[in-house]
Amino acid sequence: MAYTDGYTSGEDMAFASRVAEHTGIAHTVDMGADEQLPFSFPAGQPTGVEPVLEAAMFAMDASYLHPVRGLPLHLTGHGGDIVLDSSSACWVRLLQDGRRRQAHRQVVAFARLRNTAPGPYWKALKEAAVLGRAGALERAAKALERGPITPQAAVAGWSWCRLGAGASWLTGYGRHQVAALLRQAARDQQPEDTDEFDQWAALRSVGASARGWAPYGQALGIRPVYPYLDNQVVRAAFAVPALARRGLVAYKPLLRAALPQLPDWLTSRRSKGSFTAQHIAGFARHQGRLDELTASSPLAAGGLIDPAAVRTSLAQAARGQSATVIADLHQLIVTCWWLTGQTTRREVAAC
């Protein structure tokens, strides 16, 4: 199955068609419309017991997954990027182990493949190795306590904690509350080796997403199965060092090693599908409603976020002027929508 609309990359659709042709499976294409754009939150959409990013895509999922409604099982690829690949945290681990030259070679090769300057990327990784987890969280807490945060384009490269655009929407009270939470997190027992910490943190995040999507799957008549989250698959993949799973040229090198019969055009692909254009269009289509949602949310009512600051960022994103805030806006909007639903549910129950 594939989803397409007026914002979908032609390269993604061509690749999906090629995969279907190579495997000899039926290729069902769902043609989406503006009604399926993110952040529509149609009436009757379940809220579930926890916020989940996929909530913003419910209308798209309802359309895209309709062909598998009622089937006994629906296999998904969630978690594949984590167990078959790894992040640049593995290069920070090289620095932690004193293997500076090897780390630098990896960073330079990675930057050259993407025609970017390696300097800022290398600097970010060195900072992560020097600060450590507790140091990075403490630095973020101090930055919040000093005063308002100005949203900046994030430098590519792994970090223990990076203050994104969301930090710029916090009130003074909100900044101090988040700073306290960061210091509390710094005292938690977590792996200090970056590659180990990152892979388990990413896996927990995907697992939480799968758990949170369960009410949506039930509402849509879908029974998802997550083979990449299976305990045996995770143990087998994580038994391979993260550095060996980190691909520069090869697309998921562990996949290529496990299934050498796969064609080179598949395993050497370095691009990845994105819904950025759909998000921007969704912000524009639902801008007024989303403004109202964040301004009336418990986060605003509790004095944690500044609705005017959010409104400015949302307007910029809706015009396509600030792609760096899209991920943070996505998280905030879903959280506000979920919290509002929980508040409404409690009010109805009280009546």
Side-chain angles (χ1 to χ4, degrees), residues 299-324:
L299 294 179
L304 293 170
I305 63 170
D306 176 7
V310 177
R311 187 177 302 114
T312 298
S313 293
L314 179 59
Q316 292 173 343
R319 294 192 296 267
Q321 294 177 329
S322 181
T324 59

Side-chain angles (χ1 to χ4, degrees), residues 140 144 148-154 159 161-170 313 324-329 331:
L144 287 169
I149 303 295
T150 302
Q152 298 177 345
S159 172
C161 177
R162 180 177 289 116
L163 294 177
S168 69
W169 307 327
L170 294 169
S313 293
T324 59
V325 305
I326 289 177
D328 285 11
L329 277 174
Q331 291 179 322

Side-chain angles (χ1 to χ4, degrees), residues 9-285:
S9 162
E11 192 265 346
D12 283 342
M13 281 303 301
F15 194 82
S17 298
R18 191 175 184 183
V19 170
E21 182 181 359
H22 175 77
T23 56
I25 60 176
H27 185 205
T28 303
V29 178
D30 177 55
M31 297 296 298
D34 283 353
E35 289 73 21
Q36 279 80 48
L37 285 171
F39 311 109
S40 61
F41 300 118
Q45 175 178 338
T47 55
V49 297
E50 58 189 314
V52 58
L53 292 178
E54 286 80 356
M57 321 293 280
F58 183 77
M60 183 183 294
D61 284 344
S63 177
Y64 159 62
L65 294 173
H66 185 75
V68 297
R69 183 182 182 93
L71 292 181
L73 298 173
H74 171 57
L75 292 174
T76 80
H78 292 289
D81 287 346
I82 297 164
V83 300
L84 297 177
D85 205 339
S86 65
S87 75
S88 54
C90 65
W91 299 335
V92 181
R93 173 63 186 276
L94 289 175
L95 288 170
Q96 287 181 316
D97 292 344
R99 298 157 68 183
R100 182 185 178 91
R101 288 186 178 181
Q102 185 177 357
H104 191 258
R105 284 198 301 269
Q106 295 272 354
V107 169
V108 170
F110 179 82
R112 284 176 177 170
L113 281 172
R114 286 151 183 80
N115 197 30
T116 60
Y121 197 89
W122 176 240
K123 180 182 177 181
L125 299 187
K126 286 193 298 181
E127 285 183 351
V130 171
L131 282 173
R133 179 174 171 275
L137 294 176
E138 177 62 29
R139 183 175 70 170
K142 289 181 178 178
L144 287 169
E145 290 172 336
R146 277 196 298 268
I149 303 295
T150 302
Q152 298 177 345
V155 176
W158 191 85
S159 172
W160 293 99
C161 177
R162 180 177 289 116
L163 294 177
S168 69
W169 307 327
L170 294 169
T171 62
Y173 172 71
R175 289 195 304 274
H176 281 82
Q177 292 298 308
V178 174
L181 291 172
L182 287 172
R183 290 199 170 95
Q184 179 181 334
R187 295 191 294 270
D188 294 342
Q189 293 297 317
Q190 294 287 346
E192 292 299 327
D193 293 330
T194 54
D195 52 353
E196 183 182 357
F197 170 85
D198 183 71
Q199 66 186 16
W200 287 108
L203 187 70
R204 284 193 294 269
S205 176
V206 172
S209 176
R211 180 182 65 239
W213 196 81
Y216 302 102
Q218 185 175 7
L220 297 174
I222 308 297
R223 296 185 60 188
V225 176
Y226 304 91
Y228 289 115
L229 300 183
D230 180 85
N231 287 339
Q232 291 185 337
V233 173
V234 171
R235 282 194 292 265
F238 283 2
V240 179
L243 184 61
R245 303 199 313 271
R246 179 63 173 166
L248 289 177
V249 178
Y251 179 65
K252 295 185 177 69
L254 191 57
L255 178 64
R256 174 179 284 190
L259 298 171
Q261 68 272 26
L262 290 176
D264 181 71
W265 57 264
L266 175 61
T267 55
S268 62
R269 187 191 187 202
R270 294 199 299 271
S271 60
K272 188 173 178 62
S274 168
F275 285 107
T276 297
Q278 283 90 343
H279 278 71
I280 293 172
F283 289 143
R285 180 179 176 86

